[in-house]
Amino acid sequence: MSSALLEDLINLDITDSGYIIAEYIWIGGSGLDMRSKARTVRAPVKSPKDLPKWNYDGSSTGQAPGEDSEVILYPQAIFKDPFRKGDNILVICDCYTPQGEPIPTNKRCAAAKIFADPAVEKEEPWFGIEQEFTLLQKEVKWPLGWPVGGFPGPQGPYYCGVGADKAWGRAIIDAHYKACVYAGIKISGINGEVMPGQWEFQVGPCVGISSGDQLWCARYLLERITELAGVVLSLDPKPIPGDWNGAGCHTNYSTKSMREEGGYEVIKKAIDKLGIKHKEHISAYGEGNERRLTGRHETADINTFSWGVANRGASVRVGRDTEKEGKGYFEDRRPASNMDPYIVTSMIANTTILFNP
């Protein structure tokens, strides 16, 4: 079939059919792999409540035994589909047993409970998440632009760099940026990172549970776009050992009290609580994070909690503006690039608002 005809068929407008295509998206058994499948639903769909629950074979995703393999998908958030366009949608789902119990890899359910707590709702927690990631060559699993089996010049020219010898994969990044805006994700920016072949996008500010929904949807779009480009997406926190920066998922956070007059005192109290729960947070902040949090390459040592103003070598950084204005937000620099935003955002809210030492 000619590629032009294929292109025409992919771009067919199905608006007049009275139906739309809904791509149901969920998180697989590793807690990081994304799965999706599509179904036809009658238009219009205004909210997740308009969509039917669905099921899949959990034994094929490492989420159920073969003799009782059915897992139920509950639609939770809707985004516009930048691939199929029109009124077609992407649907972020979470996963339950047929009896209605969340399965062990469903981290959204517990997070939603924390965000629904009246004390947390009252504080309107805002999150801005900085997702770093590395693009790899498909055949060799080595960063994009790097000589196979070799290394580029040392770090320095690549961060926010411009030029064919410094920025590798920009077309993918720009395609992803626009796809996120089209989908209705609150993507707030992108930049090239310190290690060549590594990039970052930011999602936020988002309130409560929507932060996790939006970051997972943005990750899904990135997986799909890298798939089209024949490039592999890695969320490994330290893809290349040695004198190369790792990849994190810095989480910026504020509550209503922090954003109002006298907020800096509230921030300091919240940071003290995070210090008390440091070990607990680290254990939930991503696999392999110990390879990244070494005290070098703009990280704090994994075993020590620290905070400072404008200090990128601390566990938690407070911006100069926040200190000067006496209110604002802070940045938890500990989460790894492969963290689960449902776990991290709800844990930060739980520790800073509900935990009473």
Side-chain angles (χ1 to χ4, degrees):
M1 188 188 268
S2 82
S3 59
L5 179 56
L6 196 55
E7 199 66 23
D8 286 348
L9 290 170
I10 287 171
N11 291 322
L12 277 176
D13 184 358
I14 59 166
T15 315
D16 295 341
S17 69
Y19 292 93
I20 60 165
I21 300 169
E23 188 79 31
Y24 280 46
I25 301 162
W26 71 96
I27 298 152
S30 73
L32 206 61
D33 58 315
M34 304 201 72
R35 311 280 178 139
S36 78
K37 58 176 185 167
R39 67 181 292 166
T40 313
V41 293
R42 196 176 284 284
V45 172
K46 295 278 181 249
S47 92
K49 290 184 178 64
D50 300 338
L51 290 162
K53 289 173 185 166
W54 203 9
N55 64 65
Y56 66 92
D57 166 18
S59 71
S60 299
T61 62
Q63 292 170 299
E67 63 279 4
D68 186 14
S69 65
E70 202 163 284
V71 179
I72 314 299
L73 292 168
Y74 287 31
Q76 299 290 4
I78 289 176
F79 298 90
K80 286 170 69 182
D81 185 342
F83 304 105
R84 295 191 176 105
K85 304 188 195 71
D87 293 329
N88 303 301
I89 54 175
L90 305 174
V91 185
I92 295 290
C93 303
D94 60 353
C95 307
Y96 295 80
T97 65
Q99 291 72 42
E101 293 297 315
I103 65 169
T105 50
N106 177 352
K107 306 302 180 192
R108 191 188 188 279
C109 184
K113 284 198 180 97
I114 290 169
F115 286 121
D117 186 293
V120 176
E121 276 190 331
K122 188 169 148 259
E123 281 291 355
E124 286 172 31
W126 289 6
F127 297 92
I129 300 179
E130 308 171 29
Q131 175 72 69
E132 294 178 339
F133 58 94
T134 311
L135 298 175
L136 305 178
Q137 301 167 51
K138 191 169 147 205
E139 272 70 38
V140 289
K141 299 282 165 55
W142 196 238
L144 200 61
W146 289 35
V148 175
F151 296 88
Q155 296 185 152
Y158 310 109
Y159 172 70
C160 299
V162 179
D165 55 346
K166 299 177 216 59
W168 299 315
R170 192 185 296 278
I172 293 168
I173 308 315
D174 272 342
H176 176 251
Y177 197 171
K178 283 195 168 173
C180 284
V181 172
Y182 178 92
I185 292 165
K186 277 191 172 175
I187 187 167
S188 45
I190 56 166
N191 60 270
E193 266 309 326
V194 179
M195 187 183 95
Q198 204 170 65
W199 295 80
E200 170 182 308
F201 65 88
Q202 302 96 26
V203 171
C206 303
V207 181
I209 197 72
S210 74
S211 179
D213 291 338
Q214 295 205 26
L215 190 73
W216 275 114
C217 192
R219 283 177 173 179
Y220 175 80
L221 292 179
L222 189 53
E223 283 273 23
R224 287 281 305 272
I225 290 163
T226 50
E227 174 193 315
L228 288 170
V231 168
V232 173
L233 169 66
S234 170
L235 295 182
D236 189 295
K238 186 77 175 177
I240 307 294
D243 205 7
W244 303 97
N245 272 36
C249 212
H250 300 158
T251 302
N252 298 275
Y253 171 69
S254 71
T255 61
K256 200 162 182 279
S257 309
M258 294 173 193
R259 297 186 291 269
E260 289 170 353
E261 291 311 314
Y264 193 33
E265 289 312 308
V266 183
I267 286 172
K268 286 195 275 196
K269 284 196 185 101
I271 293 172
D272 287 342
K273 288 181 178 183
L274 289 172
I276 295 168
K277 293 250 191 179
H278 177 62
K279 273 204 166 74
E280 212 175 296
H281 279 250
I282 285 293
S283 69
Y285 272 17
E287 269 316 284
N289 211 4
E290 70 287 343
R291 292 181 283 118
R292 166 183 162 257
L293 296 180
T294 58
R296 297 182 64 220
H297 305 108
E298 301 178 60
T299 69
D301 177 76
I302 194 164
N303 298 310
T304 319
F305 182 83
S306 59
W307 75 277
V309 176
N311 181 358
R312 284 186 156 75
S315 314
V316 169
R317 179 185 68 89
V318 172
R320 282 262 176 253
D321 284 358
T322 296
E323 183 192 40
K324 202 170 102 204
E325 290 171 22
K327 59 183 179 184
Y329 70 97
F330 65 81
E331 173 193 44
D332 191 339
R333 298 179 61 79
R334 297 170 296 171
S337 47
N338 58 2
M339 64 83 146
D340 185 329
Y342 292 135
I343 295 175
V344 170
T345 57
S346 61
M347 203 171 198
I348 292 173
N350 194 31
T351 297
T352 58
I353 300 169
L354 301 176
F355 170 55
N356 214 339

